[in-house]
Amino acid sequence: SRYTTAVTARREFGAAPALQCGPKYRIPSTGYWDFSMVQESELEAYANDNARVDVEGCCWWGRGVLQTKGTCSFGRLNYYLGKRAADEGRESLFSEIDFCSNPEAVCGSASSTKHE
C-alpha cells in the first residue's frame, strides 16, 4: 500500500499539517488537530464515520483546481482522459498517466500545469 503526504497545505500559524495516508503498519491510527493547543493530538484514536481509525487506502483527498477527490472521480478521470482511455483505444489527453495509481499526477505532472 502506498504512503503519501499532501504536497500543499495551509501555511498560517495554527493550521493543521499536510494530510497523510498510508498502510496500517506505518500509520496505525489517526488523532485529530487540536486548534486550541495548535498541535496534533494522538492520545486517542479518532474514528471516521465508518468507525475506521487508520488511513490505509485513503489517499483520495481533493487535488487540483477542481478538487478532484474520491475513487469514483479519479476512476472517471482515468477512464475518459487518462491511461485507461488510451489502453482501451479511446482518444486520451493524458495517455501515459494512470490517475488511479497516481492521484498526485493531477497536480504533479508537467502537463497538468498547462490545464489548471
Side-chain angles (χ1 to χ4, degrees):
S1 185
R2 159 183 41 183
Y3 174 79
T4 302
T5 300
V7 177
T8 59
R10 295 177 68 174
R11 303 280 187 228
E12 69 269 5
F13 178 76
L19 295 171
Q20 294 183 335
C21 70
K24 289 179 191 176
Y25 72 85
R26 190 159 180 186
I27 306 174
S29 67
T30 61
Y32 63 92
W33 185 251
D34 186 334
F35 287 97
S36 64
M37 299 296 292
V38 192
Q39 65 183 16
E40 185 175 2
S41 175
E42 295 180 338
L43 297 176
E44 60 184 91
Y46 191 82
N48 68 12
D49 290 340
N50 296 320
R52 285 186 61 180
V53 296
D54 65 289
V55 289
E56 186 166 18
C58 296
C59 300
W60 308 104
W61 57 74
R63 291 175 173 86
V65 69
L66 297 177
Q67 286 296 287
T68 303
K69 59 184 166 265
T71 55
C72 290
S73 293
F74 279 99
R76 282 192 297 268
L77 181 66
N78 203 48
Y79 181 86
Y80 290 107
L81 299 176
K83 188 171 184 326
R84 182 168 173 193
D87 289 350
E88 294 179 359
R90 293 186 307 279
E91 189 175 323
S92 172
L93 288 173
F94 306 101
S95 61
E96 300 297 316
I97 300 174
D98 185 340
F99 292 105
C100 292
S101 67
N102 182 17
E104 288 295 318
V106 168
C107 295
S109 73
S111 56
S112 72
T113 57
K114 66 182 178 184
H115 296 286
E116 287 185 14

